[in-house]
Amino acid sequence: MSRTLTIPRPDDWHLHLRDGAVLRAVLPETARHFGRAIIMPNLVPPVVTGADAAAYRDRIMNALPAGMDFTPLMTLYLTEETDPEDVAAAHASGLVTSVKLYPAGATTNSASGVRDFDRVRPVLEKMAEIGMPLCVHGEVTDADIDIFDREAVFIDRVLDPLRRATPGLRIVMEHITTQQGVDYVKSNAENLGATITTHHLVINRNHILVGGIKPHYYCLPVAKREEHRLALRAAATSGDTRFFLGTDSAPHTDPNKESACGCAGCFTATNTLSILAEVFEQEGALDRLAGFTSEHGPAFYGLPVSTDTITLTKGDPAAYPPKIDTGDGPVTLFDAQMPLHWRVI
Ligand code: OTD
Ligand code: ZN
Ligand code: ZN
């Protein structure tokens, strides 16, 4: 029996579009379903200034196929040299939506990130003053901290002190992967939200490591134990407005993933909505899908919910291609390892 579900057009509050040939290949995969996306600035070199963001936005709009409607919400990569006035001007002009904090070395292309948090204090204070959100990659990078503990330790050692030192700063904990991340958001009502990815609702660390190493499931923050995946599913499907979708769709070509030192990232732009509908249905929460994909994010960012809609139908399992082609090589689509009965029509 077929069923339909119509929801406001979704937004992606955390997305990697890259540049050049990969940008041209992956942008339509997002723009087909999503109206807006927060565009991550971790290019090489990173998007650091307002001028960098303006140039990158132009490249994105030039790569958008004719007839597609999509608004990139630009971000700036916070460095110890970032100028508070440049950030404020880029925000005031409407060019830039938020600033991204990467602890140096935490993830792909994060070498220019922050080592000494005191050096970015003037930027953070300016952002609190003008109401500009900070998106945070929440992992410590200390060599002595186990990779599976890096998010929980970041909350205690970095995030909580930073929030106390900068009252009024609005923060998005990006791509939370742990029960501790969920609990921290829930216990702090003020100025705090969190994105959750599609893939972290589906995989735990066994998917990466059992029965041979699976490079296409390797991403950062790395997937944790099953109990954490269940906590993320409960948060995402709870209707709590502080949790919203940020796919963190992060394309790398197959040779870069299937390598002795494979890149981190799961590419989910193409099939995210099919997967999420399946997950929300499994949790008996299809009526809450719209909140997670289309309503909670705009509310946090102070933007209107889309007046456009998309419709999903339930039928025979959707067949997605295993890879998409780019001018730089194939990019493998995230495999949710379950039949996907819902598709956007
Ligand atoms: N995680 N890969 C990338 C970024 C993210 O931490 C992230 O936001 C990437 O490839 O840019 C990943 O696994
Ligand atoms: Zn990140
Ligand atoms: Zn990301």
Side-chain angles (χ1 to χ4, degrees):
M1 197 185 76
S2 109
R3 282 182 58 197
T4 68
L5 177 67
T6 297
I7 60 174
R9 193 160 178 218
D11 305 299
D12 186 347
W13 300 97
H14 182 131
L15 176 66
H16 298 269
L17 285 178
R18 317 300 193 204
D19 223 333
V22 173
L23 166 63
R24 284 191 294 279
V26 302
L27 177 59
E29 301 300 300
T30 287
R32 195 178 297 134
H33 298 152
F34 293 86
R36 296 167 290 204
I38 289 273
I39 309 301
M40 286 296 131
N42 63 332
L43 305 181
V44 189
V47 177
V48 173
T49 64
D52 296 340
Y56 187 30
R57 186 176 64 175
D58 288 348
R59 297 200 296 282
I60 294 169
M61 293 316 285
N62 287 334
L64 189 66
M68 281 190 142
D69 180 21
F70 176 72
T71 304
L73 304 174
M74 307 308 293
T75 62
L76 296 180
Y77 187 121
L78 183 61
T79 75
E80 294 179 6
E81 279 72 49
T82 296
D83 172 7
E85 295 310 322
D86 181 59
V87 170
H91 186 249
S93 73
L95 169 66
V96 162
T97 302
S98 65
V99 169
K100 178 72 193 231
L101 166 65
Y102 291 101
T107 188
T108 309
N109 302 334
S110 60
S112 324
V114 175
R115 289 186 168 77
D116 178 356
F117 283 84
D118 286 339
R119 297 199 48 191
V120 297
R121 177 130 307 286
V123 181
L124 301 182
E125 273 159 17
K126 174 58 81 176
M127 291 170 63
E129 183 191 316
I130 64 178
M132 184 180 192
L134 179 72
C135 297
V136 176
H137 180 107
E139 288 189 290
V140 294
T141 53
D142 313 49
D144 61 330
I145 304 294
D146 189 278
I147 191 165
F148 292 100
D149 298 333
R150 288 179 171 197
E151 180 172 300
V153 172
F154 182 89
I155 292 168
D156 293 342
R157 284 196 196 165
V158 181
L159 182 61
D160 196 57
L162 186 144
R163 289 185 65 246
R164 287 175 198 280
T166 325
L169 180 62
R170 295 175 67 64
I171 293 185
V172 186
M173 294 172 70
E174 299 287 3
H175 49 50
I176 55 170
T177 59
T178 58
Q179 175 84 60
Q180 291 91 329
V182 169
D183 290 346
Y184 188 74
V185 174
K186 284 206 208 154
S187 62
N188 290 271
E190 288 288 298
N191 295 329
L192 190 62
T195 56
I196 300 177
T197 76
T198 307
H199 49 281
H200 288 114
L201 296 174
V202 175
I203 60 167
N204 63 34
R205 63 195 198 179
N206 280 12
H207 290 84
I208 313 169
L209 295 170
V210 172
I213 193 156
K214 311 292 187 329
H216 294 289
Y217 291 139
Y218 172 62
C219 66
L220 291 170
V222 70
K224 311 293 192 293
R225 293 176 173 276
E226 177 65 358
E227 68 203 52
H228 296 289
R229 185 184 75 99
L230 296 178
L232 298 173
R233 281 171 81 107
T237 59
S238 67
D240 187 324
T241 59
R242 292 169 293 188
F243 299 103
F244 41 93
L245 173 64
T247 65
D248 201 7
S249 180
H252 292 279
T253 60
D254 285 354
N256 286 319
K257 294 284 296 173
E258 299 165 8
S259 148
C261 184
C263 293
C266 296
F267 176 64
T268 54
T270 309
N271 54 4
T272 271
L273 290 170
S274 286
I275 298 171
L276 290 175
E278 201 75 33
V279 166
F280 275 66
E281 185 173 49
Q282 287 166 359
E283 299 292 329
L286 264 183
D287 56 329
R288 295 180 179 159
L289 182 66
F292 184 67
T293 60
S294 317
E295 293 165 358
H296 303 166
F300 183 89
Y301 277 94
L303 293 168
V305 172
S306 179
T307 52
D308 295 337
T309 58
I310 63 161
T311 297
L312 295 120
T313 61
K314 185 175 183 186
D316 292 336
Y320 285 99
K323 300 171 194 294
I324 66 160
D325 284 321
T326 81
D328 285 348
V331 170
T332 290
L333 201 59
F334 177 75
D335 177 2
Q337 291 188 18
M338 58 183 171
L340 301 175
H341 298 94
W342 291 89
R343 77 195 77 198
V344 181
I345 53 167

